[in-house]
Amino acid sequence: MSVATESAATTHDAHHGEPTGLWSWITTVDHKRIGIMYFLTSIFFLLVGGLEALLIRIQLFKPENDFISAELYNQLFTMHGTTMIFLVAMPMAVAFFNYVVPLQIGARDVAFPRLNALSYWIYLFGGLYLNASWFVGQAPNTSWVGYANLTSTQFSPGLNVDFWVLGLSILGVSSIMGGVNFITTIINLRAPGMKLMRMPLFTWMTFVTSFLLITALPVIAVALIMLAFDRFFSANFFNVAAGADPVLWQHLFWIFGHPEVYILVLPAFGVISDVIPAFSRKPLFGYPVVVYAGVLIGFIGWGVWSHHMFTSGMGPIADSFFVATTMIIAIPTGVKIFNWMATMWGGAIRFTTAMNFAVGLVALFTVGGLSGVMHASAPVDLQQHDSYFVVAHFHYVIVGGILLGMFSGLYYWFPKVTGRYLSEKAGAWHFWTTMIGFNLTFFPMHFSGMFGMPRRTWTYQSELGVQLYNQMSTVGGFILGISTLIMLYNVLKSAKSGAPAGSNAWGAPSLEWSIPSPPHHYNFPALPEVRSREPMWHDDERAAIEAVTLAHPAKEPEMPGPSFWPIVVASGVTATWALVMTGVWWVPLIGLAYTTFGVFMWAFEDPFKHLESSH
Ligand code: HEM
Ligand SMILES: [Cu+2]
């Protein structure tokens, strides 16, 4: 396709026919806008969780410090972990699902646009509710895994655990609905010729992750409801005095919790499986193997949960079984790492910031993977469990593996979203401060852990000899904080004044690069026909596709109208759970009635009705 047509298409006002203003965002059902809102909200919570981490790090800067109280410390690490997992890492991936997946498969939106909006608003309200606990001075304080029977009313009489149980219950609703939406979208809304085995890897990993979402989240939902019954209605699911087994909670939590780590990491793997080929100018090496490895991880992820419980006394048979499955799951993961490296091998590599973050992920995730295989061995884990060694391990996989993947995706897709590139110069600063800050924070934790520093402990004695390691971690933490500010600056500045990007900003192979940047609100004027895995890399196929995707339709495709009801129902769902807190059985029914009203109005609303806009 000629350059002239391309620039003509990109200078065309992409927002034509699309209302602007606050109300249009509140009522939007456009997957692209919802994706942007998910992203910005998750960045907000990243700042909150990061601030909590820095307070923790200040406290641990020197032995026997009393910068913050022990009680506040408990709240800080609990909210830090809970925030980073449920309000940052998961929704940031969902931001990319939202923005990118429909564009990659040639769809105009997700299968259920209003449900999609509902997922977002529940996420926002659930996150705000959880953090409202700070304002009454009773933030959750029993760690992000909330082990029984610390969470019983006997040991946690305050509102802290109530906020946690109810907040996570609210958030789970959002995730499960998101999973349903993306499974349906990917099965039903692919453009002609977009066979499953032609889908970009990011869409594939979204698909696998969505199945994990709809299967794993219900497990924790059940556990949370049982805990809520214990707390609010004096049930005895986890009450040892009444004959309960507190280890039951650990099983339920980790049957959810381990698949959860793959819910977190598979989307990041998907991102870099698209980014590495794009910047190596080579198709992904062993595409089917990477797909199957992802699917396999999804399955085996269900059989390893008790590696979190080696110290709970399960006995040698159970221990051996979970040692074996845990080592087995390292295989498909290792396979992916080799495929990424083989993709780069002999390629014409361009080290853009997106590519740097992708390669950084491969390096750091490998470190975290290796320390993971170390404590996959039960006797070794007896030494490492609940020490800072484990904190080092999971930050290498979570920050090194997940957050870096999200940043790679940010630099990669930002030109599609805004029509402008992020600054590569600020990007280089962001990347290198992240790498330096991250390794300085978390590598020394391997040592402080091995020398006996327990995790989730307010302070330590100088005799332990871990002060230097802790000081390194604290300095590194602040460098990491600065790197986040650099990213924020880059995003805000480049959104306004970054270099303009064409429809295919990087010369990348997949379908999202065939439409203008930013896309029209209807994405595709007509559906293109896909004939291969890298449609934009085959000249004749690309020409045929762009003839469709860059064309100006005589009449714009009709899109679902905006709706006010998702935000109403979301506030209702949140209020219903939150009102359980009152402990009076009929009070939540008020929230339920309000929710029911919203659901009815939603059901009878004409989905294609166009609200009068300010436009
Ligand atoms: C995306 C980024 C991050 C994620 C997903 C994340 C996740 C987590 C999780 C799940 C925990 C466990 C909480 C618990 O023990 O209940 C944790 C603990 C911790 N995190 Fe992070 N974290 C992130 C970034 C950071 C940063 C930037 C720092 C330091 C500057 C940090 C420092 C810590 C510390 C010190 C603990 C241990 C608290 C304790 O148990 O004493 N984290 N993190
Ligand atoms: Cu696990």
Side-chain angles (χ1 to χ4, degrees), residues 254 257-258 261 304-305 307-308:
W254 288 113
H258 197 88
V261 307
V304 300
W305 78 89
H307 61 210
H308 296 274

Side-chain angles (χ1 to χ4, degrees), residues 340-406:
W340 293 322
M341 297 198 299
T343 305
M344 287 187 272
W345 185 268
I349 300 181
R350 282 177 293 163
F351 279 107
T352 60
T353 307
M355 183 66 168
N356 282 342
F357 273 111
V359 176
L361 184 159
V362 178
L364 297 185
F365 184 83
T366 303
V367 175
L370 289 176
S371 59
V373 177
M374 287 165 78
H375 41 244
S377 164
V380 176
D381 185 62
L382 294 187
Q383 297 297 313
Q384 298 173 350
H385 184 72
D386 267 350
S387 78
Y388 260 83
F389 189 92
V390 171
V391 179
H393 156 72
F394 69 70
H395 282 91
Y396 268 86
V397 291
I398 293 184
V399 182
I402 296 158
L403 206 59
L404 259 59
M406 296 298 117

Side-chain angles (χ1 to χ4, degrees), residues 34-42 91 94-95 98 119-120 123 174:
I34 293 172
I36 292 170
M37 296 197 294
Y38 259 108
F39 187 80
L40 295 177
T41 311
S42 65
V94 176
N98 259 290
S119 290
Y120 169 74
Y123 155 52
S174 163

Side-chain angles (χ1 to χ4, degrees), residues 100-151:
V100 176
V101 167
L103 304 184
Q104 282 196 329
I105 62 173
R108 295 220 173 103
D109 207 314
V110 295
F112 308 115
R114 286 184 293 177
L115 193 69
N116 199 22
L118 179 62
S119 290
Y120 169 74
W121 293 112
I122 292 182
Y123 155 52
L124 177 67
F125 293 150
L128 292 178
Y129 167 74
L130 204 53
N131 277 282
S133 59
W134 287 117
F135 296 100
V136 293
Q138 299 192 54
N141 57 358
T142 50
S143 96
W144 85 281
V145 300
Y147 276 4
N149 44 19
L150 257 184
T151 51

Side-chain angles (χ1 to χ4, degrees), residues 160-428:
N160 318 58
V161 177
D162 294 351
F163 273 111
W164 188 77
V165 181
L166 301 173
L168 291 192
S169 302
I170 294 166
L171 292 167
V173 178
S174 163
S175 302
I176 294 171
M177 290 186 314
V180 171
N181 215 339
F182 282 96
I183 290 173
T184 319
T185 304
I186 293 170
I187 291 180
N188 286 318
L189 298 187
R190 280 168 292 134
M194 178 62 82
K195 298 185 180 154
L196 285 181
M197 290 310 271
R198 283 180 188 160
M199 296 195 311
L201 246 294
F202 180 70
T203 295
W204 251 113
M205 292 305 109
T206 303
F207 196 44
V208 176
T209 304
S210 300
F211 278 102
L212 291 178
L213 281 173
I214 65 166
T215 44
L217 265 294
V219 181
I220 192 173
V222 166
L224 290 168
I225 290 171
M226 289 162 80
L227 178 57
F229 268 79
D230 273 11
R231 290 186 63 85
F232 298 111
F233 308 114
S234 312
N236 291 313
F237 290 111
F238 305 112
N239 180 359
V240 181
D245 179 357
V247 177
L248 173 64
W249 170 270
Q250 295 196 25
H251 280 294
L252 289 173
F253 185 86
W254 288 113
I255 289 174
F256 147 78
H258 197 88
E260 167 72 11
V261 307
Y262 293 112
I263 289 174
L264 297 172
V265 86
L266 287 178
F269 284 180
V271 170
I272 71 161
S273 301
D274 281 359
V275 167
I276 290 178
F279 294 105
S280 304
R281 276 259 156 208
K282 270 177 70 190
L284 182 65
F285 181 87
Y287 171 99
V289 178
V290 182
V291 170
Y292 292 136
V295 175
L296 212 59
I297 290 174
F299 277 106
I300 307 178
W302 285 96
V304 300
W305 78 89
S306 285
H307 61 210
H308 296 274
M309 300 165 58
F310 286 140
T311 56
S312 68
M314 295 182 297
I317 305 285
D319 279 4
S320 316
F321 175 83
F322 287 103
V323 167
T325 54
T326 304
M327 299 218 172
I328 286 171
I329 203 169
I331 297 171
T333 316
V335 165
K336 287 196 175 228
I337 292 177
F338 282 111
N339 278 286
W340 293 322
M341 297 198 299
T343 305
M344 287 187 272
W345 185 268
I349 300 181
R350 282 177 293 163
F351 279 107
T352 60
T353 307
M355 183 66 168
N356 282 342
F357 273 111
V359 176
L361 184 159
V362 178
L364 297 185
F365 184 83
T366 303
V367 175
L370 289 176
S371 59
V373 177
M374 287 165 78
H375 41 244
S377 164
V380 176
D381 185 62
L382 294 187
Q383 297 297 313
Q384 298 173 350
H385 184 72
D386 267 350
S387 78
Y388 260 83
F389 189 92
V390 171
V391 179
H393 156 72
F394 69 70
H395 282 91
Y396 268 86
V397 291
I398 293 184
V399 182
I402 296 158
L403 206 59
L404 259 59
M406 296 298 117
F407 288 153
S408 174
L410 170 66
Y411 284 85
Y412 184 55
W413 282 302
F414 189 85
K416 180 53 55 189
V417 177
T418 61
R420 294 178 185 282
Y421 291 96
L422 279 168
S423 153
E424 283 291 314
K425 190 154 171 260

Side-chain angles (χ1 to χ4, degrees), residues 412-487:
Y412 184 55
W413 282 302
F414 189 85
K416 180 53 55 189
V417 177
T418 61
R420 294 178 185 282
Y421 291 96
L422 279 168
S423 153
E424 283 291 314
K425 190 154 171 260
W429 277 96
H430 176 205
F431 174 71
W432 288 109
T433 47
T434 303
M435 289 302 270
I436 293 167
F438 173 80
N439 284 294
L440 189 58
T441 309
F442 295 106
F443 203 77
M445 288 185 192
H446 291 107
F447 298 101
S448 47
M450 285 285 77
F451 286 119
M453 180 159 160
R455 95 193 248 207
R456 297 177 186 148
T457 305
W458 172 54
T459 188
Y460 55 93
Q461 309 288 312
S462 55
E463 293 82 73
L464 202 55
V466 293
Q467 181 176 358
L468 182 63
Y469 299 121
N470 276 289
Q471 286 176 339
M472 290 160 90
S473 291
T474 301
V475 172
F478 277 89
I479 297 177
L480 213 44
I482 292 170
S483 79
T484 311
L485 297 181
I486 297 175
M487 177 211 44

